[in-house]
Amino acid sequence: MSSLKANSEALRLRAAFEKAGATPVDCAVLQPAETLLDLYGEDIRTRAYVTQDPARGEQMLRPDFTVPVVQMHMADGAEPARYTYSGVVFRRQEENPERDSEYLQTGYEVFDRTDPEAADAEVFALFADTLGGEGLRAATGDMGILTAAVSSLKTSPQRRAALLRHIWRPRRFRALMDRYSGRSAVPQTRKALLASSDPLDIGVPVIGLRSEVEIADRIEALRADAAEPPISQDQVDMIDEVLKVSETCPYALANLRDIAVDMPEMEQAVDRFARRCDALAARGVNVDTLDFEASYGRTSMEYYDGFVFGFYSEARPDLPPVASGGRYDALTQRLGQDKSIPAVGGVIRPDILLQVREAQS
């Protein structure tokens, strides 16, 4: 795929977003690593390129545009605001070496507190119209429903926090659920550690960055966790039922309303889903055939906390999504220094779109 064609397509897409009312913006290629590390922890190092600048400190080649656009808007943006951008992002691909480590993104972001569900519908409908005729399948989900379900679990705040932190890591999430519900056995090494009257009295020097006090605090936290009663099987089953919801929007909504009878903490998130369906229909989207997957979005960037969507090629299932996006209200609060605003957006990958067109032709 020639870079000239991809750049030309990126400019065409950005022009479509400008026509929809977005202001074009640009962001520096090098971004302060501290911000992304604060947001995602050390895990981000496995996905981004990090370098050291003698004057600016640790820097990252931008892994996406959303974080710097949010920072820019929260610093001095007007309300409401719509932005578009186009440029190269950088992602390490150790697990998928066949994928490009740098590629173009063209995006559209909306900062508007008037009607969040209407803004969700605006972004999705714009992407659906822009990509109309490309033979793509649309998928939608809602991270807010899943986080509401997890937040309703009758267990310790520490366990709920750990599960919420690992929602975006399905294997780790499942391992924690198995552990907290008693499905998986406690490792012998941990049993021995917790049974010891003085785990630090092992006759070897402490090696690493943690002090003895920090290690002792961690051991006490593990002991407190071990004393917690297991999460009931009924609650585990309800989380599994939420994760299994994968139907067209009307059937998914009915299914989730049934589950919410036993998990009333989900009701507000399910109501938002219902209002979004109405807003999508008002934008001309056929929600009767639109797919909804409750587990969708769990391997995306971790700032999505509500509506999520993607557009895929069924003719080329080996390719990454042509487009993806979602709502990230909490991110604006994290970066806004006590200010926040509802926000939603998405990106299109011009190179993937061109590959899809080639496959169809």
Side-chain angles (χ1 to χ4, degrees):
M1 185 63 57
S2 76
S3 59
L4 184 62
K5 286 184 178 179
N7 277 301
S8 177
E9 183 63 19
L11 292 175
R12 184 191 72 81
L13 292 168
R14 193 179 74 175
F17 292 155
E18 287 186 58
K19 187 176 179 181
T23 300
V25 294
D26 196 11
C27 303
V29 172
L30 277 177
Q31 295 289 322
E34 182 180 4
T35 300
L36 289 165
L37 288 170
D38 284 346
L39 286 170
Y40 311 121
E42 290 293 324
D43 284 357
I44 191 67
R45 291 185 188 276
T46 66
R47 292 174 282 169
Y49 291 96
V50 184
T51 186
Q52 190 71 31
D53 184 278
R56 299 179 179 177
E58 202 169 35
Q59 302 282 299
M60 280 188 187
L61 292 176
R62 63 188 178 210
D64 74 352
F65 278 87
T66 303
V67 170
V69 168
V70 170
Q71 288 180 300
M72 176 203 70
H73 176 80
M74 299 311 291
D76 56 11
E79 291 188 24
R82 284 155 177 76
Y83 303 108
T84 185
Y85 48 80
S86 186
V88 178
V89 297
F90 305 84
R91 302 272 182 89
R92 288 165 60 179
Q93 302 287 4
E94 279 89 345
E95 294 184 5
N96 300 284
E98 74 283 358
R99 295 185 178 180
D100 293 334
S101 57
E102 58 178 278
Y103 51 85
L104 283 167
Q105 281 186 346
T106 301
Y108 181 79
E109 313 287 342
V110 175
F111 296 79
D112 192 338
R113 65 179 76 250
T114 308
D115 186 338
E117 287 73 39
D120 290 344
E122 173 192 335
V123 173
F124 181 86
L126 176 59
F127 275 59
D129 290 344
T130 303
L131 297 170
E134 303 287 357
L136 303 177
R137 179 183 78 86
T140 67
D142 192 330
M143 293 300 298
I145 290 173
L146 182 55
T147 55
V150 173
S151 297
S152 73
L153 290 172
K154 293 177 176 60
T155 187
S156 68
Q158 292 78 13
R159 286 185 169 185
R160 282 196 299 270
L163 289 166
L164 288 169
R165 187 166 61 250
H166 291 289
I167 273 181
W168 289 270
R169 303 172 184 87
R171 289 183 182 178
R172 177 62 175 156
F173 180 87
R174 176 51 56 190
L176 286 174
M177 285 293 292
D178 288 346
R179 192 175 104 202
Y180 295 158
S181 63
R183 282 181 176 178
S184 59
V186 178
Q188 290 299 322
T189 52
R190 177 168 292 187
K191 281 184 178 180
L193 174 71
L194 298 179
S196 172
S197 59
D198 187 1
L200 294 177
D201 186 20
I202 53 177
V204 296
V206 175
I207 299 172
L209 298 178
R210 289 184 176 181
S211 68
E212 287 192 11
V213 172
E214 290 173 316
I215 294 171
D217 288 344
R218 176 59 179 158
I219 292 170
E220 284 307 307
L222 290 174
R223 283 177 168 158
D225 182 75
E228 281 289 324
I231 296 174
S232 72
Q233 188 59 49
D234 286 345
Q235 294 225 305
V236 173
D237 290 344
M238 281 191 285
I239 294 294
D240 288 341
E241 283 299 309
V242 172
L243 288 170
K244 286 191 295 186
V245 172
S246 180
E247 304 168 85
T248 55
C249 285
Y251 290 103
L253 179 59
N255 198 344
L256 289 167
R257 286 208 186 282
D258 288 342
I259 297 171
V261 171
D262 296 313
M263 302 184 85
E265 294 84 355
M266 286 175 48
E267 287 180 357
Q268 288 188 357
V270 176
D271 288 343
R272 286 193 293 270
F273 175 28
R275 291 195 297 271
R276 184 182 308 117
C277 288
D278 291 341
L280 286 165
R283 288 268 178 177
V285 176
N286 186 355
V287 295
D288 290 340
T289 60
L290 181 62
D291 289 334
F292 178 91
E293 303 165 29
S295 64
Y296 183 75
R298 296 181 69 200
T299 56
S300 302
M301 293 297 280
E302 296 168 25
Y303 46 67
Y304 291 135
D305 54 15
F307 177 55
V308 283
F309 66 88
F311 288 84
Y312 300 82
S313 169
E314 294 187 298
R316 289 290 308 272
D318 56 307
L319 292 175
V322 173
S324 60
R327 175 159 292 280
Y328 48 90
D329 294 352
L331 182 63
T332 70
Q333 187 171 23
R334 289 282 301 274
L335 298 178
Q337 299 178 344
D338 298 326
K339 297 186 297 182
S340 65
I341 182 173
V344 60
V347 296
I348 298 175
R349 285 190 55 175
D351 57 329
I352 302 298
L353 180 55
L354 291 176
Q355 289 182 62
V356 170
R357 286 178 185 166
E358 284 187 0
Q360 291 174 339
S361 64

